[in-house]
Amino acid sequence: MVAFRIENTNVNAPPVNNNNEITLYQIGRYISSNEAVWRTFGFQIHERDPAVIHLAVHLENGQRAFFTNETVIDCAINPPKTTLTEFFVLCNRADAFGAFARKLLYSEVPQYFTWAQTKIWMPHKQGTPIEACSGLFKSKILGRVFTVNPRQTECFYLRLLLVNVTGPLSFQDIRKVNGQQYLTYKDACLALGLLEDDNQWDCMLTEAGLRTVQQYKFVYYTL
């Protein structure tokens, strides 16, 4: 297929740019017989399976908000809902759905609940039935927690907790480990053993102090 156009060859005429690249592409593109039949029957051209749901990560009251001069006060009093804040709401439910959600990781929630337009987690109505929870179905939908730059220290450690701790009830509850409340998300990660610190080297030096001089030198050689 060839696409052509008629141009004014008069050198004295003012230049006119009629180079419509979109139209030229649509006129000149080639459609094979397979694609023509596929489009004639109205089959889907693109498909993504399984579906992927992006899950927000932010600190408490740190979600993105859009406001105007008229809505700034209301937005400050009632921050917008996110998949993370509603995950905490879901885990606080007193029904069977809440009890089941408290056994899930944040990234596993989209397999059993759908993010509705009303910005709440609703149980799936199709899929594989869950025997442990009547009225709940499992789908193939995947949840992907947004990545966080390690320079955003507390938010980075919050994400680390979300991918390892099941059923947190709030931003404060996720910092609680074995009944002890920690002030920062990093301290909670250390308590759970998700991070390494210098404690192993301190223990090694303490143990080396109880040994002979030769053994003490050997410890320093291996550091």
Side-chain angles (χ1 to χ4, degrees), residues 102-123:
R102 288 189 287 272
K103 302 177 183 178
L104 301 176
L105 294 172
Y106 183 35
S107 58
E108 296 174 338
V109 174
Q111 296 181 19
Y112 305 92
F113 299 87
T114 181
W115 183 243
Q117 293 183 352
T118 54
K119 293 188 176 182
I120 58 175
W121 287 110
M122 298 291 294

Side-chain angles (χ1 to χ4, degrees), residues 1-189:
M1 181 180 293
V2 178
F4 62 91
R5 66 178 183 269
I6 300 176
E7 296 182 351
N8 187 0
T9 58
N10 186 359
V11 295
N12 297 323
V16 178
N17 184 10
N18 293 323
N19 186 20
N20 191 329
E21 296 182 1
I22 297 177
T23 302
L24 293 177
Y25 171 79
Q26 292 176 342
I27 294 175
R29 69 173 180 166
Y30 170 76
I31 299 179
S32 64
S33 57
N34 295 334
E35 183 179 356
V37 172
W38 199 267
R39 290 181 179 274
T40 300
F41 286 99
F43 297 147
Q44 293 184 355
I45 302 299
H46 302 284
E47 185 178 3
R48 183 179 64 181
D49 184 65
V52 179
I53 302 297
H54 295 285
L55 302 175
V57 181
H58 57 82
L59 299 177
E60 188 173 9
N61 295 325
Q63 58 265 52
R64 181 177 298 178
F66 299 92
F67 56 87
T68 62
N69 293 333
E70 293 76 16
T71 62
V72 58
I73 298 178
D74 180 69
C75 187
I77 298 176
N78 302 307
K81 299 178 181 179
T82 66
T83 55
L84 178 56
T85 58
E86 291 306 301
F87 173 52
F88 295 145
V89 174
L90 177 62
C91 292
N92 278 283
R93 290 178 57 168
D95 55 7
F97 294 142
F100 186 84
R102 288 189 287 272
K103 302 177 183 178
L104 301 176
L105 294 172
Y106 183 35
S107 58
E108 296 174 338
V109 174
Q111 296 181 19
Y112 305 92
F113 299 87
T114 181
W115 183 243
Q117 293 183 352
T118 54
K119 293 188 176 182
I120 58 175
W121 287 110
M122 298 291 294
H124 284 306
K125 298 182 179 180
Q126 295 180 349
T128 305
I130 303 300
E131 297 181 358
C133 185
S134 178
L136 189 63
F137 299 86
K138 182 179 180 180
S139 67
K140 297 189 298 181
I141 299 177
L142 301 178
R144 180 184 180 275
V145 184
F146 279 111
T147 57
V148 179
N149 193 311
R151 293 183 178 180
Q152 297 177 291
T153 310
E154 281 299 278
C155 193
F156 175 81
Y157 294 125
L158 171 60
R159 184 186 186 278
L160 186 59
L161 290 172
L162 287 172
V163 298
N164 288 279
V165 177
T166 58
L169 303 179
S170 63
F171 288 99
Q172 293 76 26
D173 182 69
I174 201 172
R175 298 199 305 266
K176 185 181 296 184
V177 180
N178 297 327
Q180 182 176 353
Q181 184 71 45
Y182 290 89
L183 296 178
T184 64
Y185 299 107
K186 181 179 180 180
D187 293 338
C189 290

